[in-house]
Amino acid sequence: MSVEAKYRQASLYVGDLHEDVTENMLFMKFSTVGTVLSIRICRDLVTRHSLGYAYVNFLHVADAQKALDTMNFDLIQGKSIRLMWSQRDSYLRKSGIGNVFIKNLDKSIDNKTLYEHFSVFGKILSSKVMCDDQGSRGYGFVHFQNQISADRAIEEMNGRLLKDCRLFVGPFKNRKDREAELQNKANEFTNVYIKNFGDDMNDEKLKEIFCQYGKILSVKVMTDSSGKSKGFGFVSFDTHEAAKRAVDIMNGRDICGQQVFVGRAQKKAERQAELKQMFEQQKQERLWRCRGVKLYIKNLDETIDEEKLRREFSSFGSVSRVKVMQEEGRSKGYGLICFSSPEEASKAMAEMNGRILGSKALHIAVAQRP
């Protein structure tokens, strides 16, 4: 099925809505171009606050097209809205086909300006500048109807100046591809980061120390405004083998009487991706350790603290974690306890459920994973 065919529903996505916008406001606006069948602002299930986007369903595709052509980036409640065809099929959004990534945008570039600069290359399904509370984050995305338009935009706009900022324009890459690319770079690094060598260091001294491991392209000791070393710097080798040899031999060695760290130089994005992967792995390990061995305990006497709870349950096995929920220093009457194995948890629940602890009978159940 062609991209065009996937959008032959008369339904529009309305994004970047002000939190005070109501269904009635949207109806009054969009009904001026044609018959509106329904409008739904998506809301938080608990608070019922707007999530900032909505769907508008027209009777006729032509009316939806007219709204898209004439109302995109209009202001509602002082905030510019963003319109596109409703994409129920997530494959198109995630595949990367026709999707372009743009970075190094001037802070003044908004969704409308981005759209106007890139629409000359073909029909745009959506365009968005990523923002936070301080405004533009300096990058965005343009999703074209076809890959030919995306390729043309990349060829023409990559490296071009826009508001005195030189753009990077390239194909969109999903998170999995970006992480794989970073990993490949990590395996072939040539830049080395050295820290903790103190302030008695300069470029020449650092080059003299590391030149024995291979041909050096550049050396830089980072300095403050007075020219004094900040205690860290970089060495760039011409081959990965030389850089790896330097890391393997010099990491942990003494330089100027101090033990230094020597490792692969990483960009901010690489460090963030690596840390995220490490935290996710630690999270999965914690979940695995507590899988089927975490008990939820309620109806706790207010005199029961974590130490007493651990003492009462430790006879059933190895307790890895105990938590009594508190508010302003007082027990809320329930808590959690983790064992090292499902068998220990089952035994504890069988023996302790209903037992009087303090002045109350315990109620115990296997804690449900979120």
Side-chain angles (χ1 to χ4, degrees):
M1 183 183 292
S2 68
V3 173
E4 185 96 28
K6 288 181 181 291
Y7 294 97
R8 292 308 85 201
Q9 302 176 53
S11 180
L12 293 182
Y13 166 91
V14 187
D16 297 345
L17 288 175
H18 188 282
E19 59 183 5
D20 294 333
V21 170
T22 64
E23 280 86 353
N24 187 57
M25 290 179 186
L26 294 180
F27 179 82
M28 294 297 290
K29 180 172 184 63
F30 287 102
S31 61
T32 60
V33 298
T35 303
V36 174
L37 296 178
S38 65
I39 293 176
R40 179 169 69 92
I41 293 178
C42 297
R43 301 180 182 277
D44 185 275
L45 291 174
V46 178
T47 65
R48 303 306 299 163
H49 292 162
S50 169
L51 295 175
Y53 64 95
Y55 294 95
V56 178
N57 298 308
F58 288 89
L59 177 62
H60 301 294
V61 172
D63 294 336
Q65 183 68 63
K66 184 178 179 182
L68 186 62
D69 293 339
T70 61
M71 294 181 170
N72 204 8
F73 310 115
D74 280 5
L75 295 178
I76 302 181
Q77 292 289 92
K79 191 173 181 181
S80 174
I81 62 172
R82 190 167 53 89
L83 302 180
M84 64 181 185
W85 291 107
S86 174
Q87 295 176 246
R88 302 295 184 182
D89 183 2
S90 63
Y91 172 77
L92 262 178
R93 297 195 302 270
K94 296 177 180 179
S95 67
I97 298 172
N99 211 346
V100 173
F101 170 66
I102 305 105
K103 70 177 180 179
N104 202 31
L105 290 168
D106 184 83
K107 298 295 184 180
S108 66
I109 302 296
D110 57 14
N111 294 329
K112 183 178 182 181
T113 308
L114 188 68
Y115 182 95
E116 289 170 347
H117 277 87
F118 280 82
S119 61
V120 296
F121 302 108
K123 187 173 181 180
I124 291 176
L125 303 178
S126 68
S127 64
K128 184 170 179 63
V129 174
M130 305 307 292
C131 298
D132 55 24
D133 294 338
Q134 282 73 49
S136 169
R137 298 177 67 181
Y139 69 93
F141 303 89
V142 175
H143 196 171
F144 288 95
Q145 181 173 298
N146 58 60
Q147 189 61 42
I148 294 173
S149 300
D151 292 339
R152 191 183 304 128
I154 292 169
E155 183 179 351
E156 293 287 334
M157 295 298 288
N158 187 36
R160 181 174 292 188
L161 285 174
L162 181 60
K163 293 286 186 76
D164 296 324
C165 292
R166 194 167 298 280
L167 300 182
F168 169 84
V169 183
F172 165 79
K173 297 176 183 177
N174 60 37
R175 181 177 298 171
K176 185 177 180 180
D177 290 340
R178 293 197 304 272
E179 290 177 351
E181 190 175 273
L182 289 174
Q183 186 59 47
N184 289 335
K185 286 183 179 179
N187 294 334
E188 295 297 327
F189 70 94
T190 55
N191 294 326
V192 174
Y193 169 64
I194 307 104
K195 70 174 181 178
N196 199 36
F197 49 61
D199 53 18
D200 187 24
M201 181 65 70
N202 57 38
D203 294 352
E204 286 302 318
K205 287 182 180 179
L206 196 62
K207 183 175 182 179
E208 186 179 337
I209 293 169
F210 281 87
C211 66
Q212 59 186 301
Y213 303 110
K215 184 179 178 181
I216 292 176
L217 301 180
S218 64
V219 177
K220 181 64 178 176
V221 172
M222 306 308 292
T223 58
D224 59 22
S225 56
S226 67
K228 188 176 181 181
S229 166
K230 291 184 176 181
F232 70 95
F234 302 88
V235 175
S236 178
F237 291 92
D238 70 334
T239 66
H240 166 66
E241 290 73 21
K244 187 176 185 302
R245 187 160 52 245
V247 170
D248 292 342
I249 296 173
M250 290 300 296
N251 188 35
R253 287 278 188 91
D254 278 358
I255 295 181
C256 301
Q258 298 191 78
Q259 189 179 64
V260 296
F261 168 84
V262 182
R264 176 175 63 89
Q266 293 177 287
K267 292 182 179 180
K268 183 179 179 181
E270 290 182 87
R271 293 197 303 273
Q272 289 177 334
E274 196 171 275
L275 286 171
K276 185 174 182 180
Q277 185 178 14
M278 182 182 70
F279 292 146
E280 185 63 30
Q281 184 176 346
Q282 291 173 346
K283 179 182 175 183
Q284 292 300 322
E285 287 174 353
R286 287 196 302 270
L287 287 173
W288 179 255
R289 285 198 301 267
C290 289
R291 189 177 183 182
V293 299
K294 185 187 293 185
L295 299 181
Y296 172 67
I297 305 170
K298 66 177 183 177
N299 203 37
L300 287 173
D301 188 281
E302 61 181 13
T303 63
I304 303 299
D305 58 15
E306 291 175 4
E307 184 180 346
K308 290 180 180 178
L309 197 61
R310 180 185 291 272
R311 190 165 58 245
E312 291 292 333
F313 280 81
S314 61
S315 61
F316 301 104
S318 176
V319 175
S320 60
R321 180 171 178 252
V322 176
K323 180 69 174 176
V324 173
M325 306 304 172
Q326 295 186 334
E327 186 174 30
E328 297 180 354
R330 297 184 61 184
S331 170
K332 296 174 73 174
Y334 66 94
L336 295 167
I337 187 162
C338 265
F339 286 91
S340 60
S341 74
E343 293 77 18
E344 293 171 350
S346 297
K347 184 178 178 182
M349 185 167 67
E351 294 283 339
M352 295 295 289
N353 192 30
R355 181 178 295 186
I356 302 294
L357 193 59
S359 61
K360 296 182 178 180
L362 299 180
H363 296 166
I364 304 176
V366 175
Q368 299 297 312
R369 292 179 66 184

